Amino acid sequence: MDPVTSIVIVGGGSAGWITAGTLAARLKTERERNSYKVTLVESPNTPIIGVGEGTWPTMRSTLRKMGVRETDFIKECSASFKQGAKFVNWHKGDGDAYYHPLMLPQAYFEQNLAPHWPDLAGNLSFSEAVCPQDFLCEQGLAPKLITTPEYGHVANYAYHLDAGAFAEFLKNHCVEKLGVNHILDDVVAVKSKEDGDIQSVISQNAGEILGDLFIDCTGFRSLLLGGHYDVPFKSCKEVLFIDTALAVQLPYEDNNAPIASHTISTAQNAGWIWDIGLQNRRGVGHVYSSDHLSEDKAVSNLKDYVGQTHPEAAAEDYRKIDINPGHRTQFWKRNCVAVGMAAGFLEPLEASALLLIEISANMIAEQLPANRLAMEVVSKRFNETFLYRWERIIDFLKLHYIASERTDHSFWKDNRKKETIPDSLLELMDFWKYQPPWHDDFDRAVEVFPAASYQYVLYGMGFKTEVNPLGYSDAARNAAMQAFEENAKMAKDLLRKLPSNRELLDKITTHGLQRV
Ligand SMILES: Cc1cc2nc3c(=O)[nH]c(=O)nc-3n(C[C@H](O)[C@H](O)[C@H](O)COP(=O)(O)OP(=O)(O)OC[C@H]3O[C@@H](n4cnc5c(N)ncnc54)[C@H](O)[C@@H]3O)c2cc1C
């Protein structure tokens, strides 16, 4: 019945500090009674990955729970507001575009609007018919007003942030406000107990660091779970082909240039390019499949894209990052759990990595085992939950490729080959030919990507569902019509009252938002 009171986190990237902050905030009362100790050890020699700029709306509650002021976060991390993602050229590659917004469709918990949209919504796209955010994003508007309190919203939002500044910001907050013990040192060895648990990690200068629970946040190295425990890595390269990234940072043309209120993801011949607007610069990058495209051609794609605004950018400005898509087959082994890229990584198409970090840290904090015996049950549940989540995320990312009708490159054709598509997704695609995606299509009460996300992507890419015309009553049609009208009214109202993204961000950095 060994109590679990000392938690050691190895790694100080976004994963390490989000986990440290979530745990320390949750344990604050106990820690003040000196019952718990949260220690984070990070290498001064191995830099953090330093990319990862798109988040989910969950980041608002993650920061709020840690006691972070939204104004401070926005100022110090050059953060901007994100209301969704715009996918350009994904359908046919002829200039087409659709949005995956962050607001749920109108009346989402009362009625499925997807079956009624083709008949009742005129010429509007699915997302335009059910959600106002396409219109807000097209106008570069913010999701709130200066009078909206911190973390409150008028339209649901997440953030774009400077990943390097974010880790530094969280570090200062965790150390100064939450009492996290910070050690800057290289972990050079892992010491085991007789039963196979980790007893301690040995650091170069600080020596032995003892703990009851070890959290591996060492990024691609996966020092504890992969290196020490040798937990197998399950590649998903045969499903998601992307394995290389080229990233670049670009200044705005001038200080008043608009800041996009959404991530722009533009499909290329063998991958796609992200474009994220922060307060002070844009982050742009090309992810591609090296089996389908040479580095030279990828650089040329990126230069063409970047050249639209920055013709002077040179090939050597791009930072290359290798990606090994997949995840560990187990995330929590004995008294060690991995969070972040130490657990796995998939292409950043839907910004799922930081989200997985947040929900992993939350589950560890909420279900923190009181003793070693309880850890057996908690770790089993953690592994089941996260294996399910990784599989659903893989399905959802693959959906973007199989719903495409691009034929210009083998990359797209290979992506649609049946043998590359998980059975779980094939089955749902068959089902959705006759029924639009809805809540019951998924097993868990809380899904990372709910039915709404599948609707936005499928119908955004021209997918057709042959709904049974006799399956819906007049009352259902009338209620749907009302929801479409309600959405149009809301869009009109928000277009009138919301400021531009840049205007609001400038005001926040000058005056701040109201404290909650
Ligand atoms: C191209 C690309 C784009 C991405 N875009 C997004 C996005 O838009 N949205 C999103 O959510 N995510 C994105 N991600 C993922 C995101 O960047 C990561 O999930 C996130 O930054 C967390 O990284 P990490 O903390 O796990 O690892 P890292 O940042 O690599 O941190 C690892 C830490 O471990 C430490 N360490 C390593 N070895 C030792 C040792 N021996 N001793 C002590 N410490 C050690 C290092 O010093 C470092 O502090 C992207 C990733 C890539 C590659």
Side-chain angles (χ1 to χ4, degrees):
M1 296 291 279
D2 299 336
V4 173
T5 55
S6 173
I7 301 157
V8 176
I9 298 166
V10 185
S14 307
W17 287 114
I18 287 175
T19 307
T22 302
L23 274 163
R26 171 93 187 171
L27 301 173
K28 200 159 187 283
T29 330
E30 287 88 334
R31 192 176 41 73
E32 279 164 0
R33 293 201 300 265
N34 280 333
S35 301
Y36 280 97
K37 187 167 163 201
V38 179
T39 302
L40 185 145
V41 51
E42 66 169 319
S43 162
N45 303 310
T46 311
I48 64 169
I49 187 97
V51 280
E53 302 186 324
T55 75
W56 269 76
T58 43
M59 189 57 83
R60 281 158 46 208
S61 57
T62 297
L63 296 175
R64 188 173 45 75
K65 282 189 207 158
M66 281 185 211
V68 165
R69 275 208 66 193
E70 190 179 28
T71 304
D72 296 341
F73 159 72
I74 288 174
K75 278 187 190 171
E76 290 182 40
C77 301
S78 295
S80 64
F81 298 113
K82 166 184 170 181
Q83 298 188 62
K86 181 176 184 177
F87 292 92
V88 180
N89 282 338
W90 278 79
H91 182 202
K92 294 190 173 162
D94 58 4
D96 53 83
Y98 74 95
Y99 276 91
H100 177 190
L102 294 183
M103 282 169 82
L104 292 170
Q106 284 283 337
Y108 184 63
F109 294 103
E110 289 140 40
Q111 190 185 13
N112 192 346
L113 294 180
H116 305 286
W117 155 68
D119 291 343
L120 301 182
N123 291 329
L124 296 179
S125 70
F126 176 73
S127 54
E128 285 170 342
V130 302
C131 164
Q133 280 182 308
D134 283 33
F135 303 105
L136 308 185
C137 291
E138 284 297 299
Q139 298 299 318
L141 298 186
K144 64 199 279 180
L145 302 158
I146 189 71
T147 47
T148 317
E150 293 204 328
Y151 300 117
H153 70 274
V154 174
N156 196 19
Y157 69 90
Y159 305 105
H160 291 137
L161 52 83
D162 178 327
F166 185 50
E168 194 62 25
F169 173 77
L170 287 180
K171 175 175 77 186
N172 293 338
H173 183 78
C174 287
V175 172
E176 287 161 21
K177 305 265 170 56
L178 297 172
V180 172
N181 181 28
H182 181 210
I183 299 171
L184 203 54
D185 205 353
D186 277 304
V187 168
V188 288
V190 177
K191 195 166 164 186
S192 298
K193 293 183 189 169
E194 263 180 21
D195 63 5
D197 273 11
I198 296 177
Q199 173 175 305
S200 58
V201 288
I202 313 296
S203 68
Q204 184 100 55
N205 301 311
E208 185 170 17
I209 305 166
L210 292 156
D212 305 313
L213 173 65
F214 289 83
I215 307 188
D216 185 350
C217 295
T218 55
F220 287 141
R221 279 161 208 84
S222 194
L223 203 68
L224 307 184
L225 196 74
H228 176 70
Y229 278 128
D230 206 15
V231 170
F233 181 83
K234 186 176 177 205
S235 167
C236 69
K237 179 98 181 356
E238 73 288 359
V239 179
L240 296 170
F241 308 155
I242 299 287
D243 62 1
T244 314
L246 297 172
V248 65
Q249 298 183 352
L250 303 172
Y252 285 111
E253 295 93 274
D254 64 72
N255 289 344
N256 293 317
I259 301 174
S261 200
H262 52 281
T263 302
I264 303 162
S265 158
T266 306
Q268 304 294 312
N269 44 8
W272 54 276
I273 287 178
W274 79 78
D275 189 340
I276 282 179
L278 305 183
Q279 279 178 53
N280 58 337
R281 64 162 171 84
R282 280 161 58 207
V284 176
H286 185 6
V287 282
Y288 62 95
S289 158
S290 65
D291 288 345
H292 293 87
L293 198 72
S294 68
E295 189 174 331
D296 283 352
K297 289 203 170 128
V299 170
S300 154
N301 283 348
L302 192 51
K303 279 189 81 172
D304 286 349
Y305 184 92
V306 166
Q308 295 164 21
T309 49
H310 295 74
E312 73 291 351
E316 57 276 15
D317 294 341
Y318 307 122
R319 174 182 164 207
K320 185 177 172 199
I321 304 163
D322 292 326
I323 293 171
N324 188 9
H327 58 84
R328 300 278 153 192
T329 52
Q330 193 182 354
F331 309 106
W332 195 323
K333 177 152 178 160
R334 302 206 63 92
N335 64 339
C336 170
V337 53
V339 176
M341 296 198 302
F345 182 64
L346 303 171
E347 61 181 270
L349 184 58
E350 287 281 0
S352 50
L354 289 169
L355 171 79
L356 272 171
I357 292 169
E358 296 171 72
I359 56 181
S360 302
N362 244 320
M363 187 162 174
I364 298 168
E366 274 171 21
Q367 304 192 4
L368 189 69
N371 54 54
R372 184 61 185 83
L373 200 61
M375 201 182 289
E376 291 301 308
V377 195
V378 173
S379 60
K380 184 168 175 284
R381 290 178 63 85
F382 187 94
N383 284 326
E384 283 166 5
T385 301
F386 280 90
L387 273 177
Y388 176 82
R389 288 187 165 151
W390 278 91
E391 281 163 14
R392 293 292 73 72
I393 294 173
I394 291 169
D395 279 6
F396 186 63
L397 298 186
K398 183 69 172 178
L399 180 81
H400 296 67
Y401 294 98
I402 64 173
S404 171
E405 292 172 37
R406 285 185 70 133
T407 52
D408 55 309
H409 199 284
S410 58
F411 173 79
W412 296 96
K413 293 183 206 155
D414 289 350
N415 253 302
R416 290 194 292 270
K417 284 187 178 153
K418 214 169 169 184
E419 61 272 23
T420 73
I421 308 172
D423 289 344
S424 45
L425 181 59
L426 276 175
E427 198 179 309
L428 284 170
M429 291 298 282
D430 269 347
F431 182 59
W432 291 331
K433 282 184 194 152
Y434 309 103
Q435 296 283 332
W438 201 227
H439 307 308
D440 291 341
D441 304 349
F442 304 96
D443 291 346
R444 305 272 169 135
V446 181
E447 288 283 340
V448 170
F449 293 105
S453 294
Y454 285 83
Q455 294 183 340
Y456 284 132
V457 172
L458 279 176
Y459 300 126
M461 290 229 255
F463 184 82
K464 298 271 183 302
T465 300
E466 302 281 328
V467 290
N468 176 356
L470 301 176
Y472 300 95
S473 65
D474 286 349
R477 285 170 62 83
N478 290 341
M481 196 64 223
Q482 218 176 325
F484 292 132
E485 283 166 8
E486 195 56 44
N487 185 59
K489 223 160 68 190
M490 189 197 262
K492 210 167 147 198
D493 180 46
L494 295 182
L495 281 171
R496 197 177 37 79
K497 75 176 182 202
L498 289 169
S500 79
N501 212 13
R502 178 170 294 278
E503 187 186 336
L504 181 60
L505 290 163
D506 284 350
K507 272 192 188 157
I508 293 172
T509 47
T510 315
H511 306 292
L513 284 161
Q514 286 178 60
R515 280 174 187 267
V516 223

